[in-house]
């Protein structure tokens, strides 16, 4: 791992809390970017996660989980509470969801090793004020690193729809590789077929757009493949 190229993931960690009647809460480490960082480190890649974790039990749980795979965790030091997503299951197994997620990532002056690749997406690129910091950092690294982006749309957290679309399109234009699900694209462009939206995203500059469609598999859209 020490000799492998440096990889940087920018995005949120989330404590996923499962609540059942008559049982103690169960908390699991989560967050789409954090999961990417964990997977990369498990594959032997030298990986840093730039994120926010609170000085609380949820933050310590997630940091220990990431460290167990070899992820270097870097924070802005703001001390914001660790984000949580709670699923409450009733006696019939029906679920309701609640989110306590803020993303206020500020500039990080030290500790970010020049990476060969940057990955970002999800809440980190959609939720202000931290989303602006993420885009500024990706832009600053764009000349030296390749970039991948996964919108991982969470409708309850996306805010104004038109703004969310603009933000996603800015991220696409900065990226070399984009991965999106058909559900992501249906939410962003409800009047457009996901494959048409993926092809349009490709024209914004990425080398490849990957569209996942659940059991129907995945499709890679490449320049000149139409």
């Amino acid at each position: 791992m020490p000799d492998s190229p440096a990889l940087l993931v920018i995005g949120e960690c989330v404590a996923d809390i499962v609540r059942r009647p008559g049982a103690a809460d169960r908390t699991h480490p989560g967050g789409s970017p954090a999961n990417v960082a964990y997977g990369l480190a498990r594959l032997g890649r030298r990986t840093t996660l730039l994120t926010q974790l609170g000085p609380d039990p949820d933050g310590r749980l997630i940091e220990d989980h990431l460290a167990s795979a070899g992820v270097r965790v870097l924070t802005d030091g703001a001390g914001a509470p660790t984000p949580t997503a709670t699923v409450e299951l009733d006696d019939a197994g029906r679920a309701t969801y609640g989110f306590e997620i803020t993303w206020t990532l500020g500039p990080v002056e030290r500790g970010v090793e020049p990476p060969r690749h940057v990955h970002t997406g999800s809440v980190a690129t959609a939720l202000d004020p931290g989303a602006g910091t993420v885009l500024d950092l990706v832009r600053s690294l764009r000349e030296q690193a390749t970039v991948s982006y996964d919108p991982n749309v969470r409708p309850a957290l996306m805010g104004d729809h038109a703004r969310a679309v603009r933000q996603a399109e800015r991220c696409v234009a900065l990226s070399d590789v984009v991965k999106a699900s058909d559900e992501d694209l249906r939410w962003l462009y409800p009047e457009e077929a996901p494959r048409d939206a993926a092809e349009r995203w490709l024209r914004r500059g990425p080398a490849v757009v990957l569209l996942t469609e659940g059991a129907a598999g995945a499709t890679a859209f490449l320049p000149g493949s139409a």
Side-chain angles (χ1 to χ4, degrees):
M1 186 182 297
D3 296 327
S4 65
L7 306 179
L8 175 64
V9 179
I10 310 171
E12 74 277 3
C13 296
V14 179
D16 292 328
I17 302 168
V18 179
R19 188 165 292 160
R20 299 175 183 271
D25 290 354
R26 297 184 63 184
T27 304
H28 306 274
S32 171
N35 292 339
V36 170
Y38 183 89
L40 288 170
R42 285 289 303 271
L43 290 170
R45 305 303 181 184
R46 189 156 50 99
T47 305
T48 296
L49 174 65
L50 175 57
T51 190
Q52 287 187 301
L53 284 173
D56 48 44
D58 290 336
R60 290 189 290 274
L61 172 72
I62 293 172
E63 190 161 13
D64 288 347
H65 170 73
L66 292 166
S68 73
V71 178
R72 177 175 178 244
V73 178
L74 184 64
T75 72
D76 65 355
T82 301
T84 61
T86 303
V87 55
E88 295 197 35
L89 302 173
D90 64 16
D91 291 327
R94 291 183 293 265
T96 57
Y97 298 88
F99 299 96
E100 292 290 338
I101 295 179
T102 59
W103 181 244
T104 59
L105 186 73
V108 177
E109 301 298 332
R110 296 182 179 181
V112 178
E113 180 181 3
R116 287 279 300 277
H117 183 78
V118 178
H119 174 79
T120 192
S122 195
V123 172
T125 56
L127 194 61
D128 284 330
T133 300
V134 175
L135 263 67
D136 287 345
L137 182 55
V138 172
R139 287 191 190 99
S140 73
L141 296 170
R142 185 69 184 85
E143 293 302 316
Q144 67 191 53
T146 53
V147 176
S148 56
Y149 167 63
D150 175 5
N152 191 40
V153 169
R154 294 293 179 260
L157 301 172
M158 300 301 286
D160 177 74
H161 183 268
R163 182 204 163 277
V165 171
R166 290 194 299 271
Q167 195 78 346
E169 291 176 349
R170 291 188 187 105
C171 293
V172 169
L174 288 170
S175 299
D176 299 283
V177 177
V178 175
K179 174 266 174 187
S181 71
D182 54 344
E183 292 182 350
D184 293 334
L185 294 178
R186 284 195 182 98
W187 187 85
L188 290 166
Y189 307 107
E191 298 182 358
E192 186 175 12
R195 290 181 173 237
D196 292 341
E199 289 179 346
R200 189 163 52 77
W201 272 12
L202 183 67
R203 295 194 291 273
R204 288 184 169 269
V208 59
V209 175
L210 300 169
L211 173 65
T212 61
E213 299 180 273
T219 304
F221 293 86
L222 303 165
S225 61

